[in-house]
Amino acid sequence: QARLEESGGGSVQTGESLMLSCKYTNRRACMAWFRQAPGKEREAVAVIYTPDPSGRKRYHDSAEGRFTISHDNAEKTVALRMTSLKPEDTAMYYCAAGSRLYGGVCIMRAPDFDTWGQGAQVTVSS
């Protein structure tokens, strides 16, 4: 069973940047970052297919162009670099791992991931 531990959350102002890191014990094919704001459903922010050295990546529309997911196999980490942060990015961010693929593609749905970290809070104030 993989174990995941997030770090790097915090409070920033609009337009600033943050880096989240997820340390894992066992690499899974699909590693992702999800977020959940109070009263809202958990949504996928970014996912990466780790067996591919170039790392096939997918992003939520709201994260495209602002967030970057990356994977370091040697360090056993998955990072999420977030730039141009907005108040609507405020949420608890979760690292997730899974092995379910559809046509060789990681799907950005919470039920497709079976291992979760404890979460890291990101707060963006205006």
Side-chain angles (χ1 to χ4, degrees):
Q1 181 86 19
R3 289 178 57 189
L4 308 173
E5 184 173 354
E6 302 98 335
S7 62
S11 297
V12 296
Q13 300 288 320
T14 297
E16 293 185 341
S17 301
L18 270 178
M19 173 84 84
L20 298 176
S21 183
C22 173
K23 184 79 172 176
Y24 60 82
T25 54
N26 302 91
R27 183 173 65 86
R28 306 288 295 281
C30 300
M31 302 291 293
W33 286 94
F34 284 74
R35 67 186 179 190
Q36 188 166 20
K40 295 189 177 181
E41 292 188 358
R42 190 169 296 190
E43 64 179 8
V45 175
V47 63
I48 187 167
Y49 178 64
T50 62
D52 183 347
S54 66
R56 295 170 224 169
K57 306 170 187 178
R58 300 179 67 196
Y59 295 93
H60 187 278
D61 287 346
S62 66
E64 190 75 58
R66 297 189 300 127
F67 294 5
T68 302
I69 189 170
S70 60
H71 169 240
D72 187 325
N73 197 42
E75 295 294 324
K76 292 189 175 182
T77 57
V78 176
L80 183 70
R81 173 73 174 168
M82 303 182 290
T83 64
S84 301
L85 282 162
K86 306 174 183 179
E88 51 263 44
D89 294 317
T90 295
M92 185 71 78
Y93 283 70
Y94 297 91
C95 181
S99 300
R100 187 170 295 179
L101 299 169
Y102 295 88
V105 177
C106 297
I107 302 299
M108 300 175 70
R109 294 190 320 145
D112 290 308
F113 294 82
D114 52 40
T115 304
W116 296 83
Q118 80 286 355
Q121 179 67 39
V122 171
T123 302
V124 185
S125 55
S126 57

